[in-house]
Amino acid sequence: MTEAPKWLVAGNWKMNGLKGDLGELASLAEKVGPELAGIVDVAICPPSTLVMAAAETANGSGVAIGGQDCHTATSGAFTGDVSAEMLVEAGAKYIIVGHSERRDAYSESDETVRAKAEAVLGAGADPIICVGETLAEREGGDTLDVISKQIAGSTPTTAKNGRLVIAYEPVWAIGTGLTPTLEQIEEVHTAIRAQLVAQFGVDGESIRILYGGSMKPDNAAEILKVRDVNGGLVGGASLKADSFFAIVTAVQGA
Ligand code: PGA
């Protein structure tokens, strides 16, 4: 059996955060000491406007900075968009792509998400590719089919030595306080792992599969113990250093 990949706990601030909120990042950066950083990669993905200042704030600490989305192209006439290259230059090490809020509100297809993930790899950052079923799809018994199709359609053709990250985020669990049962999480993560290994061979073993959707300090420890859960993508609970740090430290008991 291959060794489990290093933990990754990433915070997604979504459209929240002004300069003054970098104080939360500074206090998180102070808390993540070298020992913890040795076992878990920690990242905060603030809005694009804060990426550069956040990278300065977290510089030299165990906290990396990420972006929340990018365009598929490197540059061009795309008013309002940012490219992966721009985010990387500003200090992003990860870029989230295909979040369900973007798949839904901006009708992003699997093909678009794949092109974005390729752009992220091309720019030298690691894409965090989000997948997840709606409540209707879960209730219709279609969860595994939906996820499998999203993985097949949204992942690049090469895994670049495990530099991809997958985040399983059931749409109905995001921002709702609802979470799947541990058995449901395990079923999906195990299926994703099998698909990644079938698709990428041994590289598929080293791809981190994060769970996301109402992850909180009080449920993180049990979720992180589930087989093939290699970390978390955290929305609401990442906005405050204390609650996010409590999730990060939960990897120690998992
Ligand atoms: P949540 O969001 O933790 O607030 O549910 C997770 C996400 O959307 O990444």
Side-chain angles (χ1 to χ4, degrees), residues 94 120-128 159-165 206-207:
Y94 299 90
V120 174
L121 286 172
D126 295 3
I128 300 178
K160 300 249 172 143
N161 305 320
R163 278 186 40 216
L164 307 181
V165 179
S206 52
I207 295 175

Side-chain angles (χ1 to χ4, degrees), residues 4-148:
K6 189 178 178 186
W7 295 105
L8 168 63
V9 179
N12 172 11
W13 279 12
K14 307 192 179 183
M15 199 173 74
N16 298 292
L18 296 168
K19 245 192 202 162
D21 298 300
L22 291 176
E24 292 296 327
L25 174 63
S27 86
L28 176 70
E30 246 171 58
K31 289 170 193 277
V32 180
E35 202 181 315
L36 194 56
I39 61 164
V40 53
D41 289 330
V42 179
I44 287 289
C45 305
S48 308
T49 48
L50 287 183
V51 168
M52 193 177 278
E56 278 162 24
T57 301
N59 188 26
S61 80
V63 181
I65 300 305
Q68 298 177 12
D69 180 47
C70 65
H71 198 275
T72 55
T74 352
S75 63
F78 304 106
T79 303
D81 276 314
V82 289
S83 71
E85 197 177 42
M86 291 167 184
L87 289 167
V88 168
E89 185 185 56
K93 300 274 185 277
Y94 299 90
I95 300 177
I96 299 168
V97 293
H99 191 283
S100 64
E101 286 154 12
R102 297 207 59 91
R103 288 180 185 263
D104 181 41
Y106 302 91
S107 307
E108 287 190 6
S109 65
D110 286 338
E111 293 67 35
T112 303
V113 176
R114 167 185 279 153
K116 289 184 174 194
E118 303 263 17
V120 174
L121 286 172
D126 295 3
I128 300 178
I129 303 168
C130 303
V131 296
E133 82 287 2
T134 63
L135 189 56
E137 288 163 344
R138 174 155 289 276
E139 288 176 349
D142 298 329
T143 300
L144 293 183
D145 283 349
V146 168
I147 304 296
S148 163

